[in-house]
Amino acid sequence: MGNALEWTARAPGSFWRDRKQARKESKIAGRLLAAAYIAIYAGSDILWEEPMNLLTSLFPPVLGALARCVIPAAFGSALCALSWKIFRSRRGIMTAAYSFLNRAAVIIFIVAELLLWGERRGQTLIFLFFARFIIPPLLIGGYISAKLYYNWWNRNRRK
């Protein structure tokens, strides 16, 4: 009984200390991975710009605009999903990166709209920029990240 009491007396301190350190490392790694994701999505948009213009030139305008948003975002999300294979020991980093990207995007959008208060054209351009370049990668990449993490968690929960 003495051993169990010793363990319970010292376990919470060591558990929370390790957990706090792990959360700190996860935040840092998630933010660094988010910066890499931004570069991947920007490269994907640049890479797909000309092929998408040629491919969608005969599409109806709405369908062409939708294809120009979704295809580069899906390609970039597929490249970002490769980090799932790289970070085998820390599965939550990909989800943490998209969580950081979502929060940053919402904050930047709100601040940009508030700074351009009264400038209707500027607010419209900011909204169109977010609708074209920010929202599709976050939705597609966030879905892929959540789905991969959920599948992994579901498999390991039963073990």
Side-chain angles (χ1 to χ4, degrees):
M1 191 72 158
N3 290 337
L5 290 176
E6 283 178 20
W7 182 82
T8 55
R10 105 186 138 197
S14 63
F15 174 76
W16 291 112
R17 187 173 41 247
D18 292 343
R19 185 158 174 94
K20 186 176 181 181
Q21 182 67 22
R23 287 173 71 206
K24 185 178 178 183
E25 290 172 2
S26 177
K27 281 184 180 180
I28 292 170
R31 289 181 179 164
L32 291 174
L33 191 60
Y37 286 175
I38 290 170
I40 289 171
Y41 284 122
S44 174
D45 280 331
I46 291 170
L47 179 72
W48 280 93
E49 185 67 30
E50 191 173 330
M52 288 308 298
N53 285 338
L54 294 173
L55 181 67
T56 61
S57 62
L58 298 176
F59 284 14
V62 174
L63 188 60
L66 186 63
R68 286 186 190 108
C69 293
V70 172
I71 291 174
F75 180 75
S77 295
L79 290 178
C80 291
L82 293 176
S83 66
W84 182 258
K85 294 289 186 184
I86 295 171
F87 298 109
R88 286 185 182 268
S89 63
R90 300 190 185 252
R91 291 296 191 181
I93 291 177
M94 187 175 175
T95 310
Y98 278 107
S99 173
F100 175 73
L101 285 174
N102 285 329
R103 279 182 278 149
V106 167
I107 291 169
I108 290 170
F109 180 73
I110 291 171
V111 167
E113 289 292 328
L114 288 176
L115 287 174
L116 292 171
W117 194 260
E119 299 284 334
R120 201 70 183 144
R121 181 163 164 72
Q123 286 181 323
T124 304
L125 289 175
I126 291 293
F127 175 76
L128 290 175
F129 176 79
F130 267 78
R132 164 69 169 92
F133 294 106
I134 307 297
I135 294 172
L138 289 180
L139 289 178
I140 295 170
Y143 175 75
I144 291 172
S145 166
K147 185 69 174 164
L148 286 172
Y149 189 77
Y150 177 74
N151 288 342
W152 173 80
W153 176 77
N154 212 10
R155 276 193 309 267
N156 291 330
R157 179 176 58 125
R158 295 183 186 139
K159 290 182 180 179

